[in-house]
Amino acid sequence: MAEHDSDREDREPDEKGVPFDEAAAWAAIVAGYGEEPPDPPGSKPYKPVEDLALPATEEDETDTDKGAAEEQQPAKPLGSSISFAPGVGGPRDYTAPEPSEDDFDDDDEGHFVPPEPPPLPTADATAKFAWLGVAGGPVLLLLAVLLGWDMTWWLATLGIGGFLGGFVTLVTRMKTDDDEDGDPGRGAVV
């Protein structure tokens, strides 16, 4: 870093004694706002969107293209780029055909259909109230803040206590693997 700083000290600024007039620079920017700068010499202006699909005319050619234009070139086909209009269908509209029995050989076993999953276990009343406290406590406090209710002691106790009580209840009722430590039935016993 010291080498770079010493190089900068040796250099002299390009313009000495010419102060930068920031106000004049901003005034020039504001004065030119909204105006389109002129095209550089030799550039070809863009066609309007309506004329893009039309073949090129002699008026569109510039001095740089005269050498290539003198040679006879075939006319460009209309619509040289690919575009997908609504309702026409695009690459994401493709769906794979459903397999039929004719698609499988003798070696194929067919399409696997998984069995129906077992139903979810029913929750007891304690678990339901614990989940109600975990979800309902913060929702109650949020409603109190959004609706501008007075934060009384019973509202705070119900919201915070419901959340903490429900959380502790759910954690203590979790199943642990301590019951199966004495059973070596899941692996080799040496």
PDB file of all heavy atoms in Angstrom, residues 123-155:
ATOM      1  N   ALA A 123     -54.167 -36.077  17.737  1.00  0.00           N
ATOM      2  CA  ALA A 123     -53.526 -35.419  18.874  1.00  0.00           C
ATOM      3  C   ALA A 123     -54.484 -35.410  20.057  1.00  0.00           C
ATOM      4  O   ALA A 123     -55.691 -35.253  19.902  1.00  0.00           O
ATOM      5  CB  ALA A 123     -53.139 -33.998  18.497  1.00  0.00           C
ATOM      6  N   ASP A 124     -53.917 -35.577  21.242  1.00  0.00           N
ATOM      7  CA  ASP A 124     -54.745 -35.512  22.444  1.00  0.00           C
ATOM      8  C   ASP A 124     -55.010 -34.056  22.822  1.00  0.00           C
ATOM      9  O   ASP A 124     -54.458 -33.132  22.214  1.00  0.00           O
ATOM     10  CB  ASP A 124     -54.085 -36.277  23.590  1.00  0.00           C
ATOM     11  CG  ASP A 124     -52.695 -35.756  23.903  1.00  0.00           C
ATOM     12  OD1 ASP A 124     -52.100 -35.127  23.020  1.00  0.00           O
ATOM     13  OD2 ASP A 124     -52.216 -35.978  25.030  1.00  0.00           O
ATOM     14  N   ALA A 125     -55.829 -33.830  23.805  1.00  0.00           N
ATOM     15  CA  ALA A 125     -56.230 -32.474  24.197  1.00  0.00           C
ATOM     16  C   ALA A 125     -55.054 -31.655  24.706  1.00  0.00           C
ATOM     17  O   ALA A 125     -54.964 -30.446  24.453  1.00  0.00           O
ATOM     18  CB  ALA A 125     -57.319 -32.539  25.254  1.00  0.00           C
ATOM     19  N   THR A 126     -54.098 -32.295  25.381  1.00  0.00           N
ATOM     20  CA  THR A 126     -52.946 -31.571  25.918  1.00  0.00           C
ATOM     21  C   THR A 126     -52.089 -31.003  24.789  1.00  0.00           C
ATOM     22  O   THR A 126     -51.659 -29.845  24.840  1.00  0.00           O
ATOM     23  CB  THR A 126     -52.092 -32.504  26.809  1.00  0.00           C
ATOM     24  OG1 THR A 126     -52.934 -33.099  27.789  1.00  0.00           O
ATOM     25  CG2 THR A 126     -50.964 -31.751  27.464  1.00  0.00           C
ATOM     26  N   ALA A 127     -51.849 -31.815  23.751  1.00  0.00           N
ATOM     27  CA  ALA A 127     -51.048 -31.351  22.621  1.00  0.00           C
ATOM     28  C   ALA A 127     -51.768 -30.237  21.865  1.00  0.00           C
ATOM     29  O   ALA A 127     -51.142 -29.273  21.396  1.00  0.00           O
ATOM     30  CB  ALA A 127     -50.730 -32.509  21.677  1.00  0.00           C
ATOM     31  N   LYS A 128     -53.084 -30.346  21.740  1.00  0.00           N
ATOM     32  CA  LYS A 128     -53.843 -29.309  21.046  1.00  0.00           C
ATOM     33  C   LYS A 128     -53.757 -27.977  21.783  1.00  0.00           C
ATOM     34  O   LYS A 128     -53.554 -26.930  21.169  1.00  0.00           O
ATOM     35  CB  LYS A 128     -55.303 -29.734  20.896  1.00  0.00           C
ATOM     36  CG  LYS A 128     -55.500 -30.851  19.885  1.00  0.00           C
ATOM     37  CD  LYS A 128     -56.958 -31.230  19.796  1.00  0.00           C
ATOM     38  CE  LYS A 128     -57.144 -32.412  18.850  1.00  0.00           C
ATOM     39  NZ  LYS A 128     -58.547 -32.837  18.796  1.00  0.00           N
ATOM     40  N   PHE A 129     -53.910 -27.988  23.122  1.00  0.00           N
ATOM     41  CA  PHE A 129     -53.808 -26.755  23.886  1.00  0.00           C
ATOM     42  C   PHE A 129     -52.378 -26.204  23.875  1.00  0.00           C
ATOM     43  O   PHE A 129     -52.182 -24.987  23.900  1.00  0.00           O
ATOM     44  CB  PHE A 129     -54.303 -26.959  25.320  1.00  0.00           C
ATOM     45  CG  PHE A 129     -55.795 -26.889  25.438  1.00  0.00           C
ATOM     46  CD1 PHE A 129     -56.541 -28.027  25.725  1.00  0.00           C
ATOM     47  CD2 PHE A 129     -56.452 -25.696  25.249  1.00  0.00           C
ATOM     48  CE1 PHE A 129     -57.911 -27.961  25.825  1.00  0.00           C
ATOM     49  CE2 PHE A 129     -57.834 -25.615  25.354  1.00  0.00           C
ATOM     50  CZ  PHE A 129     -58.573 -26.758  25.628  1.00  0.00           C
ATOM     51  N   ALA A 130     -51.376 -27.086  23.827  1.00  0.00           N
ATOM     52  CA  ALA A 130     -49.991 -26.629  23.766  1.00  0.00           C
ATOM     53  C   ALA A 130     -49.740 -25.902  22.442  1.00  0.00           C
ATOM     54  O   ALA A 130     -49.117 -24.833  22.412  1.00  0.00           O
ATOM     55  CB  ALA A 130     -49.032 -27.810  23.926  1.00  0.00           C
ATOM     56  N   TRP A 131     -50.219 -26.448  21.350  1.00  0.00           N
ATOM     57  CA  TRP A 131     -50.060 -25.794  20.046  1.00  0.00           C
ATOM     58  C   TRP A 131     -50.865 -24.498  19.989  1.00  0.00           C
ATOM     59  O   TRP A 131     -50.437 -23.513  19.379  1.00  0.00           O
ATOM     60  CB  TRP A 131     -50.471 -26.714  18.903  1.00  0.00           C
ATOM     61  CG  TRP A 131     -49.397 -27.690  18.550  1.00  0.00           C
ATOM     62  CD1 TRP A 131     -49.408 -29.022  18.734  1.00  0.00           C
ATOM     63  CD2 TRP A 131     -48.131 -27.376  17.947  1.00  0.00           C
ATOM     64  NE1 TRP A 131     -48.229 -29.580  18.295  1.00  0.00           N
ATOM     65  CE2 TRP A 131     -47.426 -28.587  17.801  1.00  0.00           C
ATOM     66  CE3 TRP A 131     -47.522 -26.200  17.525  1.00  0.00           C
ATOM     67  CZ2 TRP A 131     -46.154 -28.642  17.248  1.00  0.00           C
ATOM     68  CZ3 TRP A 131     -46.264 -26.259  16.969  1.00  0.00           C
ATOM     69  CH2 TRP A 131     -45.591 -27.466  16.847  1.00  0.00           C
ATOM     70  N   LEU A 132     -52.017 -24.476  20.626  1.00  0.00           N
ATOM     71  CA  LEU A 132     -52.808 -23.256  20.690  1.00  0.00           C
ATOM     72  C   LEU A 132     -52.052 -22.163  21.445  1.00  0.00           C
ATOM     73  O   LEU A 132     -52.047 -20.997  21.036  1.00  0.00           O
ATOM     74  CB  LEU A 132     -54.155 -23.525  21.371  1.00  0.00           C
ATOM     75  CG  LEU A 132     -55.081 -22.327  21.505  1.00  0.00           C
ATOM     76  CD1 LEU A 132     -55.548 -21.851  20.142  1.00  0.00           C
ATOM     77  CD2 LEU A 132     -56.261 -22.667  22.387  1.00  0.00           C
ATOM     78  N   GLY A 133     -51.375 -22.527  22.511  1.00  0.00           N
ATOM     79  CA  GLY A 133     -50.589 -21.549  23.264  1.00  0.00           C
ATOM     80  C   GLY A 133     -49.381 -21.070  22.490  1.00  0.00           C
ATOM     81  O   GLY A 133     -49.050 -19.883  22.496  1.00  0.00           O
ATOM     82  N   VAL A 134     -48.684 -21.987  21.794  1.00  0.00           N
ATOM     83  CA  VAL A 134     -47.486 -21.619  21.036  1.00  0.00           C
ATOM     84  C   VAL A 134     -47.847 -20.686  19.883  1.00  0.00           C
ATOM     85  O   VAL A 134     -47.142 -19.712  19.612  1.00  0.00           O
ATOM     86  CB  VAL A 134     -46.755 -22.886  20.524  1.00  0.00           C
ATOM     87  CG1 VAL A 134     -45.710 -22.543  19.490  1.00  0.00           C
ATOM     88  CG2 VAL A 134     -46.118 -23.615  21.686  1.00  0.00           C
ATOM     89  N   ALA A 135     -48.942 -20.962  19.180  1.00  0.00           N
ATOM     90  CA  ALA A 135     -49.321 -20.125  18.046  1.00  0.00           C
ATOM     91  C   ALA A 135     -50.204 -18.955  18.477  1.00  0.00           C
ATOM     92  O   ALA A 135     -50.096 -17.857  17.924  1.00  0.00           O
ATOM     93  CB  ALA A 135     -50.056 -20.971  17.007  1.00  0.00           C
ATOM     94  N   GLY A 136     -51.078 -19.170  19.442  1.00  0.00           N
ATOM     95  CA  GLY A 136     -52.041 -18.151  19.815  1.00  0.00           C
ATOM     96  C   GLY A 136     -51.477 -17.038  20.664  1.00  0.00           C
ATOM     97  O   GLY A 136     -51.958 -15.897  20.595  1.00  0.00           O
ATOM     98  N   GLY A 137     -50.472 -17.306  21.494  1.00  0.00           N
ATOM     99  CA  GLY A 137     -49.886 -16.269  22.342  1.00  0.00           C
ATOM    100  C   GLY A 137     -49.293 -15.128  21.538  1.00  0.00           C
ATOM    101  O   GLY A 137     -49.648 -13.959  21.750  1.00  0.00           O
ATOM    102  N   PRO A 138     -48.373 -15.398  20.593  1.00  0.00           N
ATOM    103  CA  PRO A 138     -47.827 -14.300  19.779  1.00  0.00           C
ATOM    104  C   PRO A 138     -48.881 -13.612  18.912  1.00  0.00           C
ATOM    105  O   PRO A 138     -48.824 -12.407  18.706  1.00  0.00           O
ATOM    106  CB  PRO A 138     -46.765 -14.985  18.916  1.00  0.00           C
ATOM    107  CG  PRO A 138     -46.378 -16.195  19.676  1.00  0.00           C
ATOM    108  CD  PRO A 138     -47.616 -16.632  20.390  1.00  0.00           C
ATOM    109  N   VAL A 139     -49.862 -14.376  18.411  1.00  0.00           N
ATOM    110  CA  VAL A 139     -50.911 -13.766  17.597  1.00  0.00           C
ATOM    111  C   VAL A 139     -51.747 -12.812  18.442  1.00  0.00           C
ATOM    112  O   VAL A 139     -52.112 -11.721  17.992  1.00  0.00           O
ATOM    113  CB  VAL A 139     -51.789 -14.864  16.929  1.00  0.00           C
ATOM    114  CG1 VAL A 139     -53.037 -14.275  16.304  1.00  0.00           C
ATOM    115  CG2 VAL A 139     -50.991 -15.630  15.898  1.00  0.00           C
ATOM    116  N   LEU A 140     -52.040 -13.189  19.679  1.00  0.00           N
ATOM    117  CA  LEU A 140     -52.792 -12.323  20.574  1.00  0.00           C
ATOM    118  C   LEU A 140     -52.030 -11.032  20.860  1.00  0.00           C
ATOM    119  O   LEU A 140     -52.603  -9.931  20.819  1.00  0.00           O
ATOM    120  CB  LEU A 140     -53.101 -13.055  21.884  1.00  0.00           C
ATOM    121  CG  LEU A 140     -53.872 -12.268  22.924  1.00  0.00           C
ATOM    122  CD1 LEU A 140     -55.294 -11.999  22.443  1.00  0.00           C
ATOM    123  CD2 LEU A 140     -53.882 -13.015  24.239  1.00  0.00           C
ATOM    124  N   LEU A 141     -50.738 -11.125  21.118  1.00  0.00           N
ATOM    125  CA  LEU A 141     -49.932  -9.933  21.368  1.00  0.00           C
ATOM    126  C   LEU A 141     -49.830  -9.054  20.123  1.00  0.00           C
ATOM    127  O   LEU A 141     -49.859  -7.821  20.206  1.00  0.00           O
ATOM    128  CB  LEU A 141     -48.542 -10.323  21.865  1.00  0.00           C
ATOM    129  CG  LEU A 141     -48.479 -10.966  23.249  1.00  0.00           C
ATOM    130  CD1 LEU A 141     -47.066 -11.410  23.566  1.00  0.00           C
ATOM    131  CD2 LEU A 141     -48.988 -10.008  24.304  1.00  0.00           C
ATOM    132  N   LEU A 142     -49.716  -9.673  18.959  1.00  0.00           N
ATOM    133  CA  LEU A 142     -49.643  -8.909  17.715  1.00  0.00           C
ATOM    134  C   LEU A 142     -50.959  -8.173  17.456  1.00  0.00           C
ATOM    135  O   LEU A 142     -50.952  -7.006  17.048  1.00  0.00           O
ATOM    136  CB  LEU A 142     -49.303  -9.844  16.548  1.00  0.00           C
ATOM    137  CG  LEU A 142     -49.124  -9.189  15.186  1.00  0.00           C
ATOM    138  CD1 LEU A 142     -47.926  -8.258  15.215  1.00  0.00           C
ATOM    139  CD2 LEU A 142     -48.961 -10.234  14.099  1.00  0.00           C
ATOM    140  N   LEU A 143     -52.076  -8.842  17.689  1.00  0.00           N
ATOM    141  CA  LEU A 143     -53.374  -8.180  17.523  1.00  0.00           C
ATOM    142  C   LEU A 143     -53.526  -7.021  18.505  1.00  0.00           C
ATOM    143  O   LEU A 143     -54.087  -5.972  18.146  1.00  0.00           O
ATOM    144  CB  LEU A 143     -54.510  -9.185  17.734  1.00  0.00           C
ATOM    145  CG  LEU A 143     -54.822 -10.099  16.561  1.00  0.00           C
ATOM    146  CD1 LEU A 143     -55.889 -11.118  16.947  1.00  0.00           C
ATOM    147  CD2 LEU A 143     -55.278  -9.291  15.371  1.00  0.00           C
ATOM    148  N   ALA A 144     -53.036  -7.191  19.727  1.00  0.00           N
ATOM    149  CA  ALA A 144     -53.133  -6.117  20.715  1.00  0.00           C
ATOM    150  C   ALA A 144     -52.342  -4.887  20.268  1.00  0.00           C
ATOM    151  O   ALA A 144     -52.794  -3.752  20.435  1.00  0.00           O
ATOM    152  CB  ALA A 144     -52.634  -6.605  22.074  1.00  0.00           C
ATOM    153  N   VAL A 145     -51.188  -5.114  19.668  1.00  0.00           N
ATOM    154  CA  VAL A 145     -50.378  -3.989  19.204  1.00  0.00           C
ATOM    155  C   VAL A 145     -51.021  -3.343  17.978  1.00  0.00           C
ATOM    156  O   VAL A 145     -51.107  -2.113  17.872  1.00  0.00           O
ATOM    157  CB  VAL A 145     -48.930  -4.453  18.894  1.00  0.00           C
ATOM    158  CG1 VAL A 145     -48.151  -3.379  18.172  1.00  0.00           C
ATOM    159  CG2 VAL A 145     -48.228  -4.859  20.167  1.00  0.00           C
ATOM    160  N   LEU A 146     -51.469  -4.151  17.019  1.00  0.00           N
ATOM    161  CA  LEU A 146     -52.038  -3.605  15.791  1.00  0.00           C
ATOM    162  C   LEU A 146     -53.361  -2.884  16.024  1.00  0.00           C
ATOM    163  O   LEU A 146     -53.650  -1.878  15.360  1.00  0.00           O
ATOM    164  CB  LEU A 146     -52.234  -4.715  14.759  1.00  0.00           C
ATOM    165  CG  LEU A 146     -50.964  -5.337  14.182  1.00  0.00           C
ATOM    166  CD1 LEU A 146     -51.305  -6.462  13.223  1.00  0.00           C
ATOM    167  CD2 LEU A 146     -50.130  -4.284  13.465  1.00  0.00           C
ATOM    168  N   LEU A 147     -54.171  -3.378  16.922  1.00  0.00           N
ATOM    169  CA  LEU A 147     -55.469  -2.766  17.173  1.00  0.00           C
ATOM    170  C   LEU A 147     -55.433  -1.703  18.264  1.00  0.00           C
ATOM    171  O   LEU A 147     -56.458  -1.096  18.559  1.00  0.00           O
ATOM    172  CB  LEU A 147     -56.491  -3.859  17.526  1.00  0.00           C
ATOM    173  CG  LEU A 147     -56.744  -4.890  16.415  1.00  0.00           C
ATOM    174  CD1 LEU A 147     -57.715  -5.947  16.895  1.00  0.00           C
ATOM    175  CD2 LEU A 147     -57.257  -4.215  15.157  1.00  0.00           C
ATOM    176  N   GLY A 148     -54.287  -1.488  18.875  1.00  0.00           N
ATOM    177  CA  GLY A 148     -54.118  -0.423  19.856  1.00  0.00           C
ATOM    178  C   GLY A 148     -54.771  -0.711  21.193  1.00  0.00           C
ATOM    179  O   GLY A 148     -55.180   0.219  21.888  1.00  0.00           O
ATOM    180  N   TRP A 149     -54.881  -1.977  21.590  1.00  0.00           N
ATOM    181  CA  TRP A 149     -55.468  -2.321  22.881  1.00  0.00           C
ATOM    182  C   TRP A 149     -54.504  -1.915  23.990  1.00  0.00           C
ATOM    183  O   TRP A 149     -53.291  -1.887  23.803  1.00  0.00           O
ATOM    184  CB  TRP A 149     -55.739  -3.817  22.989  1.00  0.00           C
ATOM    185  CG  TRP A 149     -56.767  -4.347  22.027  1.00  0.00           C
ATOM    186  CD1 TRP A 149     -57.681  -3.645  21.327  1.00  0.00           C
ATOM    187  CD2 TRP A 149     -56.950  -5.717  21.667  1.00  0.00           C
ATOM    188  NE1 TRP A 149     -58.433  -4.476  20.546  1.00  0.00           N
ATOM    189  CE2 TRP A 149     -58.017  -5.763  20.745  1.00  0.00           C
ATOM    190  CE3 TRP A 149     -56.352  -6.899  22.034  1.00  0.00           C
ATOM    191  CZ2 TRP A 149     -58.467  -6.946  20.189  1.00  0.00           C
ATOM    192  CZ3 TRP A 149     -56.803  -8.079  21.492  1.00  0.00           C
ATOM    193  CH2 TRP A 149     -57.861  -8.111  20.585  1.00  0.00           C
ATOM    194  N   ASP A 150     -55.058  -1.626  25.147  1.00  0.00           N
ATOM    195  CA  ASP A 150     -54.207  -1.364  26.309  1.00  0.00           C
ATOM    196  C   ASP A 150     -53.552  -2.672  26.732  1.00  0.00           C
ATOM    197  O   ASP A 150     -54.210  -3.711  26.850  1.00  0.00           O
ATOM    198  CB  ASP A 150     -55.035  -0.825  27.481  1.00  0.00           C
ATOM    199  CG  ASP A 150     -55.521   0.590  27.217  1.00  0.00           C
ATOM    200  OD1 ASP A 150     -54.869   1.287  26.429  1.00  0.00           O
ATOM    201  OD2 ASP A 150     -56.557   0.964  27.806  1.00  0.00           O
ATOM    202  N   MET A 151     -52.231  -2.630  26.951  1.00  0.00           N
ATOM    203  CA  MET A 151     -51.495  -3.836  27.316  1.00  0.00           C
ATOM    204  C   MET A 151     -51.630  -4.041  28.824  1.00  0.00           C
ATOM    205  O   MET A 151     -50.803  -3.606  29.606  1.00  0.00           O
ATOM    206  CB  MET A 151     -50.023  -3.702  26.900  1.00  0.00           C
ATOM    207  CG  MET A 151     -49.243  -4.978  26.968  1.00  0.00           C
ATOM    208  SD  MET A 151     -49.810  -6.283  25.869  1.00  0.00           S
ATOM    209  CE  MET A 151     -49.418  -5.613  24.288  1.00  0.00           C
ATOM    210  N   THR A 152     -52.696  -4.710  29.190  1.00  0.00           N
ATOM    211  CA  THR A 152     -52.952  -4.957  30.610  1.00  0.00           C
ATOM    212  C   THR A 152     -52.138  -6.160  31.069  1.00  0.00           C
ATOM    213  O   THR A 152     -51.563  -6.892  30.263  1.00  0.00           O
ATOM    214  CB  THR A 152     -54.450  -5.199  30.835  1.00  0.00           C
ATOM    215  OG1 THR A 152     -54.860  -6.309  30.052  1.00  0.00           O
ATOM    216  CG2 THR A 152     -55.263  -3.964  30.444  1.00  0.00           C
ATOM    217  N   TRP A 153     -52.118  -6.391  32.393  1.00  0.00           N
ATOM    218  CA  TRP A 153     -51.309  -7.493  32.929  1.00  0.00           C
ATOM    219  C   TRP A 153     -51.847  -8.834  32.479  1.00  0.00           C
ATOM    220  O   TRP A 153     -51.095  -9.763  32.199  1.00  0.00           O
ATOM    221  CB  TRP A 153     -51.241  -7.412  34.451  1.00  0.00           C
ATOM    222  CG  TRP A 153     -52.576  -7.659  35.117  1.00  0.00           C
ATOM    223  CD1 TRP A 153     -53.507  -6.736  35.432  1.00  0.00           C
ATOM    224  CD2 TRP A 153     -53.097  -8.923  35.497  1.00  0.00           C
ATOM    225  NE1 TRP A 153     -54.598  -7.336  35.989  1.00  0.00           N
ATOM    226  CE2 TRP A 153     -54.369  -8.686  36.045  1.00  0.00           C
ATOM    227  CE3 TRP A 153     -52.628 -10.234  35.442  1.00  0.00           C
ATOM    228  CZ2 TRP A 153     -55.176  -9.706  36.521  1.00  0.00           C
ATOM    229  CZ3 TRP A 153     -53.422 -11.246  35.926  1.00  0.00           C
ATOM    230  CH2 TRP A 153     -54.685 -10.986  36.459  1.00  0.00           C
ATOM    231  N   TRP A 154     -53.159  -8.976  32.367  1.00  0.00           N
ATOM    232  CA  TRP A 154     -53.720 -10.278  31.998  1.00  0.00           C
ATOM    233  C   TRP A 154     -53.482 -10.573  30.517  1.00  0.00           C
ATOM    234  O   TRP A 154     -53.303 -11.723  30.126  1.00  0.00           O
ATOM    235  CB  TRP A 154     -55.203 -10.359  32.351  1.00  0.00           C
ATOM    236  CG  TRP A 154     -56.064  -9.376  31.593  1.00  0.00           C
ATOM    237  CD1 TRP A 154     -56.418  -8.129  31.981  1.00  0.00           C
ATOM    238  CD2 TRP A 154     -56.643  -9.585  30.306  1.00  0.00           C
ATOM    239  NE1 TRP A 154     -57.183  -7.533  31.022  1.00  0.00           N
ATOM    240  CE2 TRP A 154     -57.345  -8.417  29.980  1.00  0.00           C
ATOM    241  CE3 TRP A 154     -56.649 -10.641  29.407  1.00  0.00           C
ATOM    242  CZ2 TRP A 154     -58.030  -8.258  28.789  1.00  0.00           C
ATOM    243  CZ3 TRP A 154     -57.343 -10.495  28.220  1.00  0.00           C
ATOM    244  CH2 TRP A 154     -58.023  -9.312  27.912  1.00  0.00           C
ATOM    245  N   LEU A 155     -53.463  -9.524  29.665  1.00  0.00           N
ATOM    246  CA  LEU A 155     -53.201  -9.737  28.234  1.00  0.00           C
ATOM    247  C   LEU A 155     -51.752 -10.163  28.019  1.00  0.00           C
ATOM    248  O   LEU A 155     -51.469 -11.104  27.266  1.00  0.00           O
ATOM    249  CB  LEU A 155     -53.515  -8.459  27.465  1.00  0.00           C
ATOM    250  CG  LEU A 155     -53.421  -8.527  25.946  1.00  0.00           C
ATOM    251  CD1 LEU A 155     -54.448  -9.509  25.399  1.00  0.00           C
ATOM    252  CD2 LEU A 155     -53.635  -7.165  25.339  1.00  0.00           C
TER     253      LEU A 155
END
